[in-house]
Each structure stands twice: as C-alpha cells, then as structure tokens.
Amino acid sequence: MQVAIQGPWSPLLGRLTLSAIPYTNPILVGTFAVAALIALVVAGAVLYYKKLGYLWREWLTTVDHKKIGVMYIIVGLVMFFRAFVDGLMMRTQQAMAIGPHSPGVLGAQHGYLPPFHFDQVYSAHGTIMILFAATPLLTGLTNVVVPLQIGARDMAFPYMNALSLWLTTAGAILVMLSLFVGDFSSAGWVGLIPLTELPYSPGVGVDYWMWAIQISSIGTTLNAINMIVTIIKMRAPGMGWFRVPVFTWTTLSTNIIGLTAFPILGVVLALLGADRYLGTHFFTAGNGGNLMLYTNMFWIWGHPEVYFLVLPAFGIFSEIIPTFSEKPLFGYTTMVAATFAIAGISWAVWLHHFFTMGAGADVNGFFSIATMLVGIPTGVKVFNWMFTLYRGRLTFTTPMLWALAGLFLLLVGGITGMMLAIPAINYTVHNSVFVIAHFHCMVLLVAAAIFAGVVYWFPKVFGFQLDEKNGLMFFWSFITATAIVFTAMFALGFQGETRRLDYIFNPAWRPMLWTEEAGMMLYLVSIFYFLRMLYVSLRDRVPVASDPWGTARTLEFLTHSPVPFYNFAVTPQVNARDELAWRREHGLDKAQPEAFEPIHMPSNTGVPIIIGMLSLTLGFGLIWRIWWMAGFSLLAIIIAVIIRSFDKNLGYELKPEEVAAMERNLATASIIAEQPARTPLTEAEAH
Amino acid sequence: MRLKLSALKPLATLPALLALAGCDTGNYRLFHPLTAVAKVQWWATLFEAGIMSLIIVPTAILIAWFIWRYRKSANAKYDPAWSHSLVLEVLVWGVPLVIVAICSLISIRTTLDVEPYAPAVLAKNPADTAPLDIDVIATDWQWLFIYPQQHVAAIDELVVPENSVVHLRLTSTAVVNDFFIPQIAPMIDVMPGMRTEDTFDTPDPGSYTGFSADFSGAGFSWMQFHTHIVTPAGFGAWVAQAAASPVQLSYQEFTKLAQPTVNEGNKPSYFSNAASNLFDNVVTAAQAGVVYPVPDNVTKQVASLEDGGTAATTK
Ligand code: HEM
Ligand SMILES: [Cu+2]
C-alpha cells in the first residue's frame, strides 16, 4: 500500500541517487570538507594515541550517568554550533536580499540563498536548537547533577539511560546527514501543515525531519521515565520531599511534562508518516482529513515542550543564585509550588499559538486567560530570586552573571509573552519577528542557564575550573550580542516584518536588519572566547577542592572533584535542605568516612550504542524508502533487545579495600581514568 | 462590570511616549493604526505594555539595585538565615494575580471588540451602508479577490471604498496562509477546505501593503498584495475597469491561475464576469481532495538563477 512518489526508486537504493549528493553547492561542499577534516583529525588522534579501546570501553559503552551526561552535553554543543551557523546564514541572507534590486550570488536571485535553501536552513535551525541542542544540553546537565544532588549511585535504569543517549544521538546524526545526502524539511520546526504533506513536500526533507525527531523523542521519553523513578526512589536516607534541592524538583516536574507530552508528538508524527507513506488522510485538507488537528496536537506537545526547557533553567538559577548570595533560596515552598503550577498550566494553553485560526472570542478568551495565568507563578519565581539577593553577599562569578542576565531576559520575555497572550494584540504580531524575539529571550535564558550550569558543575566532573577571564569575555560579548540582535528584532516586529522571509520586500527594514547582522558578528566574537576558555582551561587544569566555589550548598559538592565514578564512597545521610551548607555550619563538611562498605555497580554494555546505530540505519532506510535496510535494522533491534533480556550480567562489586585505595588516590577513581576489567557478580554472590 | 479603557489611556501611553520621544516612527507601522479595529489593537498593546511595566520596571530596578547594594565588597547588611516572610510570600502571589486579573479584563474586552467575524467595535456606530463583501482565495503564491456583488475579480490588488465596512470570506487552494494588512485589518488564517472571515472598516484614501504572514512554501516571500483605499467614485471606476477585462473568471480559468506562481512585484490582473459560486466551488473542491501540487523542481526554481532560472514560475 505504498503511495506514489515522484522521481526514481530502486529496490536496492530506494529513492537514493547520485543527484541527492549536493556536490555542486559550494557552501555544502565546503561544510563537508571541514566536517571531514575534523572527523579525520579526531579519528587520527584516537588511533595515534591508541585510545580506541579506551573510548569504547570507558565512554561508548558506559552506563555511568556522569559520562552519559557529558556526552549529551557534547552532542548538544556540537548541534548548538551547527544551528548557530544556520542562524548566521539566515541573518546574512536577510541583510543582503532587501528590495527588488538587491543582487544575488551563488545562484540566488537575491542574496546568496534561494528559498529552496533558505527554507531548509530556517527549519533546521529551529528543529536543532529546540530538540537537538537545548534538550540534550539540559538532559545532560540533569543526568550529571541530579543523581549526585540526591546522593544516589547512578540513575535508576543505567542501561536505559545509555539507550536514551544513543537514540538522541542517532536523531542528531540524521539531521546532520541531511546536509550531505538529500535535503532537510522546509516546512519549519513546527512542521507547518499541509505543507508537510506529499503534494507540497514531495522530497525526503520532511522525512528527515520527521524520523530524526521521532527517534530522538523516544530517547527523551525513556529519559523522562528514568529521571522520575530516580528522583522518587533513589534519594539518600534523610532526604524527605521537603529537603529535595530545587534543581531536582524542577527536573522532576520537567520530566513529568516530558513523559506526558512527548508521546503526543510521537503519535502526531506517526500519523503524518501514515499520510506520507501509506496515503492516509489524517491531516490533508481534503478527503476527510483535518489539518488543524495536526496543529492542535503539535502544540499540545509544543507548548509543554517550551516549559520542558525552561523549568530546568529555573532550577539552575535556583541553585546558583543562593550559592553566590551565600544565603538559602527565598521561599523554597512557594518556589516548588510555582514550579508545579507552571507545569500544570502549561498543558492548557496550547491554542495561543494559533489564536488567528478564527475560533471565536470565547475560545480565544479562555486560552488567553489560561496563558496569562502562567505569568503568576513565573512572577513568583522572579520575586523569590530577587529576595534571595536581598541581604546577601554577592560574588559575581560567571555562573552568577549568567543567572542574573537570565533574570533580565525573563522579564523581557515575560512582558512580551503577556502581550502575545492577548488575542487583539496577537492579531497584529502573530507570525511576525516580534514572536521570534519573544521566544528567543526565553530560549536564550535557557541558554544562559545552560552556560551557567556548565561552568558551575564543570569542576565537579573534571576536577578543574573553566577559565574565568575568558569566561567573562564570553559572557559579555554573548549578552551584548543578544541585546543588540533582539532589540532590533522587537523593533522590526512593530514595523510589521513577518517571519521566515527569504527576500525582504520592504526596504524600510534595512537599518534594523543590518543592526541585527552587526549583533551576529559579536556572537562570533563570543564563540571565539568560548573556545579560548575551553583551550586555556584544558591547558592549565588547576585542581580544585570538592566545593570549588566555597559557598555551594547542595550534596553534589560534598563528594570529591573530580567526582569518583561511584559518586559517594559512603552514601551520605541527609540532615537538612541545604545539606552542604548545614554540614559546613556544623564543621562536618570535611569529615571523611571511617569505614567503607562494598559498592554494587552496573557493568558497561555495548547494546545501547548498537541499538542507537541500528535506529540510525532504520531511520535512513525509512527516509529513502530503502525497505530492506529499514526491515533489517528493525529486525536487528528486536533481536538485540531479546538477546539483552537474556543477559545475566548482575553488575560488579567494589570491595571496601578497593574503595579505600581509590579514595586515597582519587585520580584512579575519576571518570577520565581507565578502569580495570572487573568480573561480574554471580547469582549466588548477588544475594 | 465594564472596564473603562479610556480612563487608563494616559497611564498606558506614558511608557510608549517616553520610548518614542524624538524618533521618527513612520516605519513602525503598528504604531499608526488607521481603522477602528486596528486602533483597538494598538490601544490594547499600549495598555498591556503599560500595565505590565508597572510590575516589570520596578522589579528590574530592584534587582539591579540589590545586585549593586549587596555585592560582597560593599559590606552591606548580611542576613544569611533570612529565607522566608509570610507577608512577602502573600505579596509575590497577590500582586501578579491582580495584574493578571486586569490583563484578563482587557483581553476579553478587546477580543470581543476586534473579533474578526463580527467586531463589536464596529457594531457601536454602524455604517449607513451594508458591508462590502469580498471573497479572498489564497493560491500558491498569489491572492485572488472576488467581488461577488460587482462580479469582478483581481489578483494581488484589493481595492475598497473609503469609510465603509469590508467583510471578507477567505479560503485557500493549497496550503495555509495568514491574511494581514498592518494598520488596517487583523490577521486571520486562510485554510484550504475551510472558510474564515475577517472584518474591518476603511480609513481615508491611501495605499498599503498586505501580505501572507504564514509560511506557505518557496514563493512566500513574494506573496504581497496592494491595498488601495479609494473614494466611492474611484471604486466605481475601478470596478468598471475590471469589468472591461477580456478575461472572464470561470472555474476553469481559475484552475489555471491557481498553479504555483510567483508574481514578482505583485503585478495586478483583472477579471470580468467572476463566477458567483467560485469561492464555494474552491472550498468544496479542496474538501473533495483537489490539490495544486508543488513539485520539487518548481520549489528549486523559485528566485534561483540555476535550474532554468526564475522564468518558469514568474509571470
Ligand atoms: C509568561 C510566560 C509566557 C507567555 C505568556 C508566553 C506567551 C506566548 C504566546 C502567546 C506565544 C504565541 C505567539 C504567536 O505565535 O502568536 C508564544 C510563542 C512562543 N513562546 Fe512563549 N510565552 C511565555 C513563556 C515562554 C517560555 C518560557 C518559552 C521557552 C522557553 C517560550 C517559548 C515560546 C516559543 C518557542 C514560541 C513560538 C513558537 C513558534 O511559533 O515557533 N515562551 N509565547
Ligand atoms: Cu506556548
């Protein structure tokens, strides 16, 4: 029951032909050359230093939550960079293609990107930033931090954790692959319907978009289950619900959103897939389809998804601001209540993304008020952070600066969000760059929180701090660039510029477009300082104490830096909400355990990465309609799961002497150190 | 209870005036609403921004002040245990609640006022003449305006008489677009197989640009239309001119027009004898599964100097 598709198809290669490789496009050929070069250098270095075995044993097959978190963050940063370049390309195109007489180069009538390319670039930008940059970066941070913060050894399901990572990575690779093999979707990150249906998007672009998201969102859903169970079941003794750190609370609420919302995305994409592959009519305009059903379902996931991103960011602020104010968080209980209020309301506001549908004043009025209700708990949070600063002793480390800048971004994003929530206003700025500026304030707040979190927890994981001097330059250039670009964008919103334009039909927008472009140049400067920060820190590697900041308040800073792979030599007993601050007050923060107990650890396994890579080939086969490849991959995945379920590996045990030795020589326990092969426990030993 | 919007006017305009003092705002089209509907929208924008500023601005100032005041080197009062205050916690919930309540009232009032199907603001002082009905069909990537009472039609040109009320019915042949004329008409989705409506009053004569605000494929960036507000006499003359067009707009003719076309410069064309049921036929056809596909090679050719140039899809 396969639908008719345009172009050639062969059983062996599906829709894939040589013309799918864009070897005539200089931009893509250049990108490919750079990507290939980097890949060669990395592969060469791994082989030269004989690290292939290490890489496989200690990283690619790991089930350690910290290493998985670090790999999530690396994937996220690479994708962040890719999507930034997309953003730069869009800004540059719009700065060039202004008015009917603007010249064109590289085959474009105006600017340098014809719509065929530009539309893919903007679609990739949004898809990547939300799903393959921000999401993995936050998942990575929660992966690293939450088990440490609640005094757990690992996540509840370490194997599933690795599986989540590799599914997300498979999705990210698919998106990258679309650069060099075929095209990406040009229907926006939201998959504008019915543009994504076969008559209007006959190529493989939408399929790339759809399957990349589908595969990675399975990973996100699994991770949500893992996080929820970990937080509910694995807290250290003494950590009652009212002693749970706020970052852990926000992670819990975010993953409840994730668990409930991502399946909706999975279903809506599957139905779209049925339309595209089987010829059904779920979302077509005709034949009984209902295209607004897609839009509704997409945003029933999409709006909670934006809160899925922002809640952990709020959690990061709630850790960092008290630490550098040397004071507990103001209004802990209301903060937790506000978190869950935001999460709860976020399910009931989705229609504000299409007030212009013509639903009538009653429907729009309901969703308008529901949307504005989110402003209440959001306001509460801002006030609570503000009162945390009050009578504090503030030090302006880079994490603190990022957090404070985030507060101001939240204020601007909040006021403009409240404006958009009023239908009468929305009818003038919907789909304009005003909306783009609104949500970039919000997602850049998330980015600020991510940078804050990475700098804040980096020494915990690696045992040395990121260079503050370059970090400051990175901060200031990034924030100034943000201010320039998005002030100009708000102005353009009021000038009536609509979003997603490849060609600027109104020359009056030129000054502000050029201002934006200047801001983009400053972002480039900030990237330079970011890389220099990494370089200088890696070169110098100044070792730090278990609490590198000296004023941290939560449990993760109790254990050593770099954190041993078993997290805590002895599971801590929790006495207070801000456990480390409490211990510091009572002179207990430096106390060392006297006796050790055996530690039960999970063994590494190659199954998750194998399943991940098989999902990659499954996705690739489906995108290009290479049925044998898809079928073989699916079968192999099922077989891998079955084989794994018969695996009797029960993990291994660290003997107390072994732990004691590693506690004396911490370098041997760090997550960078290569561990000796350890024999798994037998059934008898385990009981 | 009716909220007196007018009472709040001076308060709401203040921040906007401050922000704009001394700059030429001619390009800021949303700052200069022309119709009763657009004026309500702009007032709503100002009210909302003003009321939110009442809370956002002081908060921003306080945060900035605390950052300065309580920096470590200032040796200001340090209270390491203070993390709770019942009064403040009631306030942090109470103040936003009040603000949101006010905003909700504004929202409901203005939503009814500008409701695109039947704006309450126009019902207040009804015009002497019946509204002018126009059917709008969005194709890939042009706008067709049909005047059922005048039996004429035009592509990419909307002409309406001054100081009257215009009532639009909208649909699309292919994908979803948004119909929008800044300063004049509120935005409304235009969807295949469905009808939406939009209503606005017309100001004094002038020319404006309307456009599609919802991405609709490769030709989207060129999907504008001219909007001319003219005198009644001018409108009559325009109708006569269109009625003189040799091209008659039958459904057959329409299916040719509706093929993917980029109309660079939005050059208008006119049709006489527009079939009176064309709009309904287009809606029904879309419901029955009629599509106007956009093959990949068309997408690739738009505004591209490769693949055979732009001519293939440009009129
Ligand atoms: C006070 C809180 C907020 C309110 C009242 C609010 C309101 C809105 C409204 C009404 C829209 C629809 C605009 C339109 O398309 O016409 C919107 C769009 C959007 N908002 Fe917010 N928002 C808030 C917070 C956030 C946060 C925290 C995030 C993300 C972290 C966010 C991300 C977005 C995104 C991504 C879009 C546009 C998506 C798209 O069309 O591509 N918003 N917001
Ligand atoms: Cu939303």
Side-chain angles (χ1 to χ4, degrees):
Chain A
M1 212 195 5
Q2 186 191 331
V3 298
I5 44 165
Q6 290 174 20
W9 181 87
S10 70
L12 185 62
L13 290 176
R15 303 181 80 181
L16 194 57
T17 58
L18 200 59
S19 61
I21 316 286
Y23 47 80
T24 52
N25 183 317
I27 301 175
L28 289 175
V29 171
T31 313
F32 182 76
V34 174
L37 193 71
I38 295 176
L40 274 179
V41 169
V42 172
V46 168
L47 290 178
Y48 182 80
Y49 291 107
K50 302 208 170 47
K51 289 290 187 194
L52 194 59
Y54 165 77
L55 200 63
W56 175 257
R57 281 188 303 275
E58 293 294 333
W59 290 89
L60 301 182
T61 59
T62 190
V63 292
D64 181 329
H65 72 96
K66 302 171 288 297
K67 293 184 188 174
I68 290 174
V70 168
M71 287 188 283
Y72 260 120
I73 292 175
I74 293 173
V75 171
L77 281 178
V78 171
M79 299 307 281
F80 197 127
F81 179 73
R82 151 82 206 269
F84 166 77
V85 175
D86 288 337
L88 182 63
M89 289 173 75
M90 294 188 305
R91 290 283 107 259
T92 309
Q93 168 68 16
Q94 288 196 338
M96 287 169 73
I98 304 176
H101 305 298
S102 52
V105 291
L106 293 178
Q109 193 185 346
H110 302 283
Y112 71 107
L113 293 172
F116 176 65
H117 292 302
F118 179 86
D119 301 342
Q120 292 180 44
V121 171
Y122 89 71
S123 304
H125 171 80
T127 308
I128 295 177
M129 278 300 192
I130 300 240
L131 285 155
F132 297 103
T135 302
L137 282 165
L138 289 171
T139 312
L141 278 174
T142 52
N143 243 291
V144 170
V145 176
V146 166
L148 289 170
Q149 206 167 46
I150 61 174
R153 284 256 178 268
D154 205 311
M155 298 279 277
F157 310 113
Y159 161 78
M160 194 163 90
N161 199 19
L163 187 58
S164 309
L165 166 73
W166 292 112
L167 288 173
T168 302
T169 311
I173 295 176
L174 274 182
V175 175
M176 293 305 242
L177 212 56
S178 73
L179 275 178
F180 309 127
V181 188
D183 312 306
F184 196 67
S185 169
S186 24
W189 79 277
V190 302
L192 294 164
I193 195 84
L195 207 56
T196 45
E197 293 281 355
L198 271 183
Y200 309 105
S201 297
V204 292
V206 171
D207 301 325
Y208 262 115
W209 170 83
M210 188 170 80
W211 291 113
I213 296 181
Q214 188 69 285
I215 291 171
S216 79
S217 74
I218 294 174
T220 310
T221 314
L222 294 181
N223 185 264
I225 298 173
N226 215 339
M227 275 292 170
I228 294 172
V229 177
T230 306
I231 295 171
I232 293 181
K233 297 298 264 188
M234 314 245 312
R235 300 192 312 281
M239 186 179 278
W241 282 113
F242 282 93
R243 289 184 183 163
V244 171
V246 174
F247 181 62
T248 300
W249 269 120
T250 57
T251 305
L252 179 62
S253 66
T254 251
N255 283 297
I256 294 174
I257 295 182
L259 180 59
T260 49
F262 270 90
I264 306 173
L265 178 67
V267 169
V268 73
L269 290 179
L271 295 182
L272 178 65
D275 278 7
R276 287 182 62 87
Y277 284 77
L278 305 175
T280 55
H281 290 279
F282 287 105
F283 304 133
T284 53
N287 297 320
N290 184 341
L291 56 96
M292 286 319 280
L293 181 63
Y294 172 90
T295 312
N296 272 284
M297 285 178 74
F298 182 89
W299 285 114
I300 290 175
W301 163 77
H303 185 86
E305 160 68 15
V306 305
Y307 283 93
F308 177 87
L309 297 180
V310 92
L311 286 173
F314 289 167
I316 294 172
F317 294 163
S318 304
E319 298 295 326
I320 287 175
I321 292 177
T323 293
F324 297 105
S325 304
E326 302 185 28
K327 222 171 137 264
L329 184 69
F330 180 86
Y332 171 90
T333 320
T334 41
M335 207 62 154
V336 174
T339 302
F340 280 83
I342 293 177
I345 301 171
S346 80
W347 282 301
V349 301
W350 76 87
L351 194 132
H352 66 217
H353 292 277
F354 44 99
F355 277 141
T356 54
M357 165 175 71
D362 40 1
V363 172
N364 283 358
F366 173 86
F367 281 96
S368 164
I369 294 175
T371 302
M372 290 192 289
L373 286 180
V374 182
I376 301 175
T378 311
V380 170
K381 285 190 170 261
V382 176
F383 291 132
N384 282 359
W385 290 317
M386 181 174 92
F387 289 125
T388 307
L389 300 173
Y390 178 70
R391 293 195 176 163
R393 205 154 61 185
L394 313 192
T395 36
F396 302 107
T397 56
T398 39
M400 182 66 159
L401 287 176
W402 283 114
L404 294 174
L407 294 197
F408 288 99
L409 284 172
L410 180 57
L411 291 179
V412 181
I415 185 173
T416 49
M418 292 291 281
M419 290 165 71
L420 288 167
I422 303 227
I425 304 176
N426 193 282
Y427 300 157
T428 62
V429 282
H430 174 58
N431 270 335
S432 78
V433 295
F434 186 87
V435 175
I436 312 290
H438 151 70
F439 75 72
H440 276 81
C441 284
M442 291 301 196
V443 289
L444 281 160
L445 166 172
V446 176
I450 289 168
F451 294 136
V454 167
V455 181
Y456 185 59
W457 283 301
F458 185 91
K460 185 79 255 164
V461 177
F462 292 105
F464 59 94
Q465 233 156 346
L466 287 173
D467 180 55
E468 281 278 303
K469 231 168 74 197
N470 286 293
L472 279 178
M473 293 302 292
F474 171 47
F475 169 80
W476 285 112
S477 45
F478 191 95
I479 286 297
T480 316
T482 303
I484 295 173
V485 173
F486 293 100
T487 308
M489 203 177 280
F490 277 123
L492 281 170
F494 283 120
Q495 296 183 8
E497 194 204 345
T498 200
R499 69 195 285 194
R500 300 175 175 136
L501 287 175
D502 166 74
Y503 158 78
I504 302 295
F505 60 83
N506 185 353
W509 298 332
R510 182 182 283 118
M512 285 301 157
L513 286 169
W514 284 3
T515 312
E516 288 182 355
E517 187 70 6
M520 294 309 288
M521 296 301 122
L522 200 53
Y523 272 127
L524 279 179
V525 174
S526 81
I527 292 184
F528 167 77
Y529 281 112
F530 175 80
L531 293 176
R532 203 161 95 161
M533 171 180 83
L534 284 188
Y535 168 74
V536 172
S537 331
L538 283 170
R539 187 193 61 196
D540 297 350
R541 289 202 296 275
V542 190
V544 293
S546 61
D547 172 12
W549 308 106
T551 54
R553 311 184 65 82
T554 37
L555 210 47
E556 71 271 27
F557 289 102
L558 183 66
T559 185
H560 313 286
S561 310
V563 53
F565 65 91
Y566 46 80
N567 290 2
F568 298 87
V570 173
T571 300
Q573 170 75 36
V574 177
N575 307 286
R577 186 175 290 159
D578 289 354
E579 177 66 13
L580 182 60
W582 183 88
R583 291 195 185 203
R584 202 185 294 119
E585 250 166 66
H586 293 76
L588 296 170
D589 53 327
K590 301 276 180 324
Q592 292 299 324
E594 285 137 26
F596 298 102
E597 290 188 356
I599 300 178
H600 183 196
M601 298 293 296
S603 302
N604 288 356
T605 160
V607 179
I609 187 169
I610 292 172
I611 294 184
M613 293 310 109
L614 286 170
S615 344
L616 176 65
T617 50
L618 171 62
F620 192 81
L622 287 169
I623 289 163
W624 290 97
R625 301 181 194 229
I626 311 174
W627 305 124
W628 64 264
M629 187 192 265
F632 172 80
S633 308
L634 187 60
L635 195 68
I637 291 173
I638 294 171
I639 293 173
V641 171
I642 293 176
I643 291 178
R644 157 80 194 177
S645 67
F646 283 103
D647 183 2
K648 293 243 164 51
N649 187 322
L650 298 167
Y652 62 92
E653 200 168 64
L654 292 173
K655 302 273 165 320
E657 317 78 78
E658 222 175 329
V659 179
M662 285 195 278
E663 286 285 299
R664 280 192 301 274
N665 183 2
L666 283 169
T668 57
S670 107
I671 65 163
I672 309 160
E674 167 125 39
Q675 295 301 319
R678 292 192 167 91
T679 35
L681 290 173
T682 62
E683 198 112 9
E685 282 170 319
H687 294 294
Chain B
M1 191 201 86
R2 273 178 76 83
L3 181 77
K4 279 250 168 58
L5 289 185
S6 48
L8 292 166
K9 268 182 192 175
L11 173 128
T13 29
L14 197 66
L17 284 181
L18 284 177
L20 302 175
C23 14
D24 172 22
T25 63
N27 286 336
Y28 291 78
R29 298 212 256 159
L30 300 191
F31 293 2
H32 305 284
L34 296 169
T35 61
V37 171
K39 278 182 182 138
V40 172
Q41 296 182 316
W42 177 235
W43 280 121
T45 311
L46 290 181
F47 285 139
E48 181 69 4
I51 283 166
M52 286 302 293
S53 302
L54 285 183
I55 185 163
I56 299 265
V57 172
T59 309
I61 294 175
L62 262 186
I63 293 178
W65 189 62
F66 286 174
I67 290 174
W68 176 249
R69 181 77 185 84
Y70 297 106
R71 68 195 192 279
K72 196 169 189 173
S73 57
N75 281 321
K77 188 167 165 59
Y78 172 51
D79 191 350
W82 187 74
S83 68
H84 179 74
S85 145
L86 191 63
V87 180
L88 282 179
E89 297 205 19
V90 170
L91 275 180
V92 298
W93 287 89
V95 174
L97 187 72
V98 172
I99 299 268
V100 166
I102 299 173
C103 294
S104 300
L105 283 176
I106 294 179
S107 176
I108 296 296
R109 260 300 299 278
T110 55
T111 303
L112 289 169
D113 270 349
V114 304
E115 162 56 30
Y117 286 41
V121 65
L122 294 187
K124 274 180 210 151
N125 359 315
D128 341 318
T129 48
L132 172 66
D133 286 317
I134 302 177
D135 292 338
V136 183
I137 304 178
T139 69
D140 275 346
W141 294 280
Q142 301 187 90
W143 294 96
L144 177 67
F145 299 98
I146 306 170
Y147 293 69
Q149 286 136 8
Q150 286 75 12
H151 307 290
V152 295
I155 277 182
D156 285 349
E157 188 172 84
L158 173 65
V159 177
V160 286
E162 63 180 318
N163 302 320
S164 60
V165 172
V166 179
H167 179 248
L168 308 176
R169 291 195 302 168
L170 308 97
T171 192
S172 169
T173 53
V175 301
V176 176
N177 284 283
D178 275 357
F179 175 93
F180 186 38
I181 315 173
Q183 303 171 268
I184 309 252
M187 197 182 298
I188 188 81
D189 285 4
V190 186
M191 298 169 284
M194 290 179 250
R195 298 178 183 82
T196 47
E197 296 171 30
D198 206 7
T199 317
F200 56 94
D201 50 319
T202 55
D204 295 337
S207 289
Y208 306 91
T209 306
F211 52 83
S212 168
D214 198 6
F215 182 76
S216 53
F220 165 72
S221 305
W222 290 266
M223 205 171 157
Q224 298 90 42
F225 56 89
H226 309 280
T227 308
H228 300 299
I229 319 279
V230 296
T231 59
F235 182 67
W238 181 82
V239 169
Q241 180 209 336
S245 164
V247 194
Q248 310 201 347
L249 190 61
S250 61
Y251 186 75
Q252 257 67 41
E253 178 66 24
F254 174 78
T255 54
K256 277 187 262 155
L257 296 175
Q259 297 305 325
T261 307
V262 176
N263 182 3
E264 278 181 45
N266 315 115
K267 289 177 276 297
S269 30
Y270 309 99
F271 306 91
S272 53
N273 258 338
S276 54
N277 53 357
L278 185 59
F279 183 87
D280 293 323
N281 285 349
V282 168
V283 174
T284 322
Q287 285 169 349
V290 171
V291 290
Y292 294 84
V294 184
D296 256 354
N297 62 327
V298 170
T299 300
K300 283 183 185 164
Q301 279 165 12
V302 173
S304 164
L305 302 177
E306 287 168 3
D307 295 317
T310 58
T313 55
T314 308
K315 293 212 300 192

